[in-house]
C-alpha cells in the first residue's frame, strides 16, 4: 500500500480523504489544510491525522494528492516532486502553461509519476463507449450547471469546459488547427457562459458550450463519425450508440431502413454497450496507484493535463480579443 497524504480539505478534498481512507491500495497518512479552523473540524469529525505544515506531510508519504485551489497547484506539486514524491493533481493541472511545462520537466528529472484529475475519463458511460469512438468528425458538448459561488474565481472554461476539452483531446488523434470562442460574464468577474469551436487538422470540428448559470444541470456529449452516432450522458451515466450498415436485401418487418437520393439503403441499429457502475474518483486514484506500482503510464498524464490547459487558455484568449 502506498502512503498518501492530501493537501486541501475543502469540499472535494474531503471526498478524496474518504475514498483514500477506504481504498485497499493506499494507506492514508493524513492531510494538511491552511485554514486551521477547517482543518481542526475535519480532523475532529473524521479522525484523519492533521499535519501542521505541507513539508511535514510531504516527508511522511509516497504520494501527494493535491486538492487545493488552482493557484497553489504549482507550488504544492513542485515541493512534492522535488522531494521525490508522486503527485496526483486536481484539474486544471496549474494556473499557467509555464508552470505546467515545468512540472512535466521536474517529474522527469526526479523520476516520479504524475496524474491530473480529469475525472470524466473514468465516467462509466464514457468508459463503455470510448472504444467505439473511432475518428469522429463532428463533436458537440453541453456542460451546464446551476449557479454555485464555489469555483467562480476562475472562468467557466477552466471550471467546467476543461472536462470536455480533455475528453475530446483523448479521442481526436489530430492537432488543433483553429479555435474561435466567445464568452459572457453575467454574475462573475470572469465569463459564466462560453461557446468554443475547435477545428482539428484532420477536419474534425468540436463545438463546446459551458454555462454555470443554467436552470438545470446537463453534461452531454455527442460524437458523429462514419456510419455511427454516439451519445454520452456524463451526468446520468447512460450512453447510446446508433450505427448504420448496408440494408439487407429483404428487410425484416421491424428493421429501420434509410434510403438516400442515390438509392443506397442503410439499416439503422442500436449497439448500446453495458455501463458498469463505478466511483470515478476512486478509480482515478487507484489506477494512479497501479501506474506507480507497475511502473506504467498513468491514464491522464501531466502532458494530457497540460494540453487541455493549453487549449483552455487559447479559448480564454479568444474572449480577450
Amino acid at each position: 500500500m502506498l502512503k498518501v497524504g492530501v493537501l486541501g480539505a475543502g469540499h472535494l478534498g474531503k471526498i478524496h480523504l474518504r475514498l483514500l481512507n477506504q481504498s485497499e491500495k493506499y494507506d492514508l497518512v493524513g492531510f494538511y489544510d491552511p485554514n486551521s479552523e477547517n482543518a481542526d473540524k475535519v480532523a475532529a469529525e473524521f479522525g484523519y491525522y492533521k499535519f501542521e505544515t505541507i513539508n511535514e506531510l510531504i516527508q511522511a508519504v509516497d504520494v501527494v494528492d493535491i486538492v487545493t485551489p488552482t493557484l497553489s497547484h504549482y507550488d504544492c506539486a513542485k515541493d512534492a516532486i522535488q522531494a521525490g514524491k508522486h503527485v496526483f493533481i486536481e484539474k486544471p493541472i496549474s494556473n499557467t502553461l509555464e508552470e505546467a511545462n515545468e512540472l512535466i520537466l521536474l517529474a522527469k528529472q526526479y523520476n516520479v509519476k504524475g496524474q491530473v484529475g480529469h475525472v470524466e475519463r473514468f465516467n462509466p458511460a464514457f468508459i463503455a463507449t470510448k472504444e467505439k469512438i473511432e475518428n469522429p468528425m463532428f463533436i458537440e458538448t453541453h456542460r451546464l450547471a446551476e449557479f454555485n459561488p464555489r469555483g467562480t474565481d476562475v472562468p467557466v472554461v477552466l471550471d467546467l469546459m476543461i472536462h470536455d476539452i480533455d475528453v475530446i483531446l483523448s479521442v481526436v488523434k489530430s492537432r488543433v488547427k483553429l479555435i474561435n470562442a466567445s464568452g459572457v460574464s453575467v454574475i462573475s468577474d470572469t465569463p459564466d457562459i462560453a461557446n468554443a469551436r475547435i477545428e482539428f487538422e484532420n477536419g474534425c470540428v468540436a463545438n463546446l458550450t459551458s454555462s454555470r448559470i443554467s436552470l438545470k444541470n446537463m453534461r452531454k456529449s455527442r460524437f458523429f463519425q462514419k456510419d455511427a452516432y454516439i451519445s454520452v450522458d456524463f451526468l446520468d451515466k447512460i450512453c447510446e450508440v446508433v450505427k448504420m450498415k448496408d440494408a439487407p436485401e429483404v428487410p425484416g418487418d421491424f428493421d429501420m431502413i434509410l434510403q438516400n437520393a442515390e438509392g443506397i439503403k442503410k439499416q439503422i441499429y442500436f449497439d448500446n454497450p453495458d455501463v458498469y457502475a463505478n466511483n470515478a474518483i476512486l478509480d482515478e486514484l487507484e489506477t494512479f496507484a497501479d501506474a506507480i506500482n507497475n511502473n506504467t503510464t498513468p491514464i491522464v498524464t501531466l502532458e494530457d493535463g497540460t494540453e487541455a490547459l493549453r487549449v483552455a487558455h487559447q479559448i480564454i484568449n479568444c474572449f480577450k480579443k
Side-chain angles (χ1 to χ4, degrees):
M1 294 175 72
L2 294 164
K3 292 183 178 180
V4 64
V6 177
L7 297 182
H11 173 73
L12 187 56
K14 282 188 280 191
I15 294 174
H16 278 229
L17 282 164
R18 174 174 57 83
L19 294 173
L20 289 168
N21 194 43
Q22 72 184 47
S23 172
E24 296 180 356
K25 300 190 178 185
Y26 288 103
D27 173 17
L28 177 63
V29 176
F31 74 99
Y32 170 79
D33 192 290
N35 183 327
S36 57
E37 184 179 341
N38 181 60
D40 290 340
K41 183 179 177 183
V42 170
E45 185 175 351
F46 302 104
Y48 307 133
Y49 180 77
K50 181 192 75 169
F51 284 91
E52 296 300 326
T53 68
I54 289 179
N55 285 335
E56 283 180 34
L57 180 147
I58 290 173
Q59 295 305 321
V61 301
D62 306 307
V63 181
V64 179
D65 182 12
I66 300 168
V67 201
T68 60
T70 303
L71 287 174
S72 62
H73 284 186
Y74 168 75
D75 288 332
C76 293
K78 182 180 179 182
D79 289 347
I81 292 170
Q82 289 180 328
K85 312 299 181 177
H86 305 288
V87 290
F88 183 97
I89 311 171
E90 253 312 315
K91 64 85 191 167
I93 180 172
S94 62
N95 190 46
T96 69
L97 279 171
E98 291 76 18
E99 291 175 350
N101 285 320
E102 187 175 341
L103 291 179
I104 292 172
L105 294 174
L106 284 170
K108 290 177 180 176
Q109 179 183 344
Y110 287 88
N111 194 30
V112 299
K113 294 189 183 295
Q115 180 163 316
V116 183
H118 284 288
V119 71
E120 293 291 34
R121 296 266 206 112
F122 300 83
N123 188 295
F126 179 64
I127 290 172
T129 54
K130 66 180 181 180
E131 297 302 324
K132 297 179 181 293
I133 302 174
E134 302 170 351
N135 197 32
M137 296 309 291
F138 180 70
I139 303 169
E140 189 169 38
T141 73
H142 288 88
R143 186 168 293 262
L144 315 177
E146 296 175 5
F147 183 73
N148 184 342
R150 186 171 56 84
T152 54
D153 56 325
V154 295
V156 70
V157 175
L158 293 176
D159 183 24
L160 297 178
M161 188 182 283
I162 196 165
H163 282 295
D164 297 313
I165 293 171
D166 173 69
V167 165
I168 289 169
L169 293 177
S170 76
V171 298
V172 179
K173 304 306 179 186
S174 179
R175 293 169 61 89
V176 173
K177 176 183 175 183
L178 180 67
I179 294 177
N180 289 295
S182 60
V184 180
S185 301
V186 178
I187 198 169
S188 312
D189 292 332
T190 59
D192 297 299
I193 185 167
N195 176 264
R197 175 186 167 93
I198 304 173
E199 296 181 26
F200 293 87
E201 290 181 352
N202 69 348
C204 177
V205 172
N207 191 29
L208 300 80
T209 300
S210 291
S211 168
R212 58 185 175 204
I213 51 169
S214 181
L215 295 178
K216 64 176 183 177
N217 294 322
M218 177 189 289
R219 299 190 335 232
K220 288 185 178 179
S221 295
R222 300 171 178 88
F223 304 85
F224 299 84
Q225 60 196 40
K226 177 69 173 173
D227 291 336
Y229 157 76
I230 299 161
S231 171
V232 180
D233 188 326
F234 290 91
L235 184 62
D236 292 331
K237 299 176 176 57
I238 56 177
C239 59
E240 186 176 70
V241 179
V242 183
K243 289 189 173 181
M244 288 198 295
K245 61 182 178 182
D246 292 336
E249 289 188 16
V250 183
D253 292 340
F254 299 103
D255 289 347
M256 291 184 287
I257 307 297
L258 287 180
Q259 181 174 329
N260 65 15
E262 288 74 36
I264 298 173
K265 294 181 180 180
K266 293 280 186 177
Q267 179 184 349
I268 299 174
Y269 67 102
F270 293 89
D271 184 23
N272 294 343
D274 294 326
V275 177
Y276 298 99
N278 72 338
N279 186 308
I281 297 177
L282 180 61
D283 277 6
E284 66 177 353
L285 291 167
E286 291 198 331
T287 59
F288 184 48
D290 292 339
I292 295 168
N293 287 325
N294 302 326
N295 194 27
T296 55
T297 303
I299 291 178
V300 186
T301 63
L302 298 181
E303 288 83 355
D304 291 339
T306 300
E307 195 56 32
L309 184 66
R310 185 191 317 280
V311 172
H313 276 296
Q314 286 178 287
I315 291 170
I316 292 169
N317 289 337
C318 288
F319 303 159
K320 297 173 183 177
K321 293 176 185 176

